[in-house]
Amino acid sequence: NAGVTQTPKFQVLKTGQSMTLQCAQDMNHNSMYWYRQDPGMGLRLIYYSASEGTTDKGEVPNGYNVSRLNKREFSLRLESAAPSQTSVYFCASGQVANTEAFFGQGTRLTVV
Amino acid sequence: GDSVTQMEGPVTLSEEACLTINCTYTATGYPSLFWYVQYPGEGLQLLLKATKADDKGSNKGFEATYRKETTSFHLEKGSVQVSDSAVYFCALSDRNTGFQKLVFGTGTRLLVSP
């Protein structure tokens, strides 16, 4: 069982470069999420998709865009990377509110 | 908005010591509460959960009770092991949204020495 798969695992970008983080889940979940994890800040929600065809901003959406390509895939795009976007990014998927959310292994992004 | 506050770490214990990690929450409705664990280099995994007041979640010797009167969900374990060294996150989810949207605390790092 793959669960939630994120690619790449590591990435170094120069300021101003763009990139897309990929996420796919094989659990037939309706909802998918992108979080960033920073020291002392816990995980903060960037964007989420409650169901296929919908996306909404979370707590820290500035500088990011997302695409819910289909039920399985939810990508996060940085159009012009900034050093403040250096972080570990986690994709997650889940179903109803009182059940488990499943996380990918994360993407460690460094912007220099 | 909803928020979660948990004790700062690191928490450093010797093997077989008792553990308590405090977690309190603020929510407008009646959230579900969770503890997630993150081992080094990995993503988060659900450790335990409770969906209504007075529910006790338990797993791998860890326990937490949903206390509505004190808005708390403290994580406890009677005897920790070196393998429990990890970062622990308290989180809540508003059940009224109809889907899983978690609000996390800042995390507490636990270090257990032999």
Side-chain angles (χ1 to χ4, degrees):
Chain A
N1 286 340
V4 178
T5 304
Q6 290 182 236
T7 56
K9 287 188 169 49
F10 301 94
Q11 184 71 49
V12 178
L13 290 178
K14 293 182 179 177
T15 298
Q17 286 186 317
S18 62
M19 80 161 293
T20 300
L21 280 64
Q22 307 285 354
C23 175
Q25 53 95 6
D26 62 2
M27 294 171 283
N28 202 37
H29 287 157
N30 286 325
S31 302
M32 297 186 73
Y33 312 85
W34 277 105
Y35 291 90
R36 59 177 288 173
Q37 182 181 27
D38 301 293
M41 306 281 291
L43 277 79
R44 293 179 293 169
L45 184 63
I46 305 171
Y47 270 93
Y48 64 98
S49 171
S51 59
E52 187 179 355
T54 69
T55 61
D56 283 288
K57 295 178 180 179
E59 184 183 352
V60 289
N62 291 346
Y64 305 95
N65 284 301
V66 290
S67 295
R68 184 73 182 267
L69 304 169
N70 47 56
K71 192 170 186 179
R72 290 188 63 248
E73 299 173 286
F74 187 41
S75 62
L76 178 72
R77 183 158 179 85
L78 287 71
E79 290 292 351
S80 178
S84 61
Q85 294 178 304
T86 294
S87 187
V88 181
Y89 292 84
F90 287 100
C91 177
S93 71
Q95 204 74 314
V96 296
N98 62 345
T99 60
E100 181 176 358
F102 292 81
F103 284 80
Q105 293 213 310
T107 296
R108 186 173 294 275
L109 175 66
T110 302
V111 183
V112 297
Chain B
D2 296 347
S3 66
V4 175
T5 302
Q6 60 181 108
M7 61 190 288
E8 290 202 22
V11 174
T12 304
L13 295 173
S14 297
E15 205 165 25
E16 299 184 2
C18 295
L19 169 71
T20 299
I21 300 177
N22 291 334
C23 171
T24 57
Y25 67 90
T26 302
T28 53
Y30 297 94
S32 295
L33 301 174
F34 305 83
W35 278 100
Y36 280 80
V37 59
Q38 184 181 30
Y39 298 103
E42 299 185 10
L44 279 72
Q45 305 171 26
L46 179 68
L47 180 60
L48 54 83
K49 69 178 184 183
T51 58
K52 61 183 187 297
D54 300 325
D55 267 3
K56 178 186 283 189
S58 62
N59 186 24
K60 299 181 182 179
F62 291 89
E63 293 183 339
T65 301
Y66 190 141
R67 301 284 188 203
K68 184 167 169 283
E69 64 275 13
T70 54
T71 61
S72 65
F73 192 55
H74 304 321
L75 182 68
E76 298 176 326
K77 187 174 187 184
S79 175
V80 294
Q81 306 300 312
V82 172
S83 57
D84 293 327
S85 297
V87 181
Y88 292 82
F89 291 92
C90 186
L92 67 80
S93 176
D94 181 356
R95 289 178 290 168
N96 291 328
T97 64
F99 60 93
Q100 181 65 283
K101 185 178 155 191
L102 292 162
V103 174
F104 286 90
T106 54
T108 302
R109 182 177 299 277
L110 171 65
L111 300 169
V112 181
S113 57

